[in-house]
Amino acid sequence: MTTSEQWTKLMEEHEIAYLRGDLATSSPQSYTIDEMREISAEMEASTAEVEATIRADFADMSPELQSRMMELMKKADPDNFGWWEALLLKHEE
């Protein structure tokens, strides 16, 4: 399981990647096409890392706890439950 400190660091890095993306899209003339590509790649990599960490933490749970977690998410966020289900049950290729 990912520690609180690891999650904090991961989320800070994720927020920085997306802040850079926001800055680049708000002032695209200030960036070269290569810089824009790099920023976009960093955003994609950050999102992939966050999602992989969420999946790994979920996979570390017992089957009973996974089932309970899925039920709780289904009740708490029924409109987005399909997204959560796809994220958590996605198999790494």
Side-chain angles (χ1 to χ4, degrees), residues 10-59:
L10 182 65
M11 292 311 299
E12 285 175 356
E13 291 170 355
H14 185 67
E15 289 172 5
I16 289 169
Y18 274 78
L19 175 61
R20 289 187 69 214
D22 287 344
L23 292 172
T25 56
S26 68
S27 182
Q29 69 278 6
S30 300
Y31 297 85
T32 67
I33 192 71
D34 289 334
E35 289 171 324
M36 296 289 271
R37 281 188 193 116
E38 181 181 322
I39 290 167
S40 179
E42 288 172 5
M43 291 168 63
E44 288 177 12
S46 176
T47 298
E49 186 176 3
V50 168
E51 289 178 355
T53 303
I54 290 169
R55 277 192 299 278
D57 281 355
F58 183 77

Side-chain angles (χ1 to χ4, degrees), residues 57-72:
D57 281 355
F58 183 77
D60 285 344
M61 294 177 183
S62 68
E64 295 81 18
L65 189 53
Q66 286 181 4
S67 180
R68 287 185 16 208
M69 179 67 77
M70 294 299 280
E71 286 301 316
L72 286 172

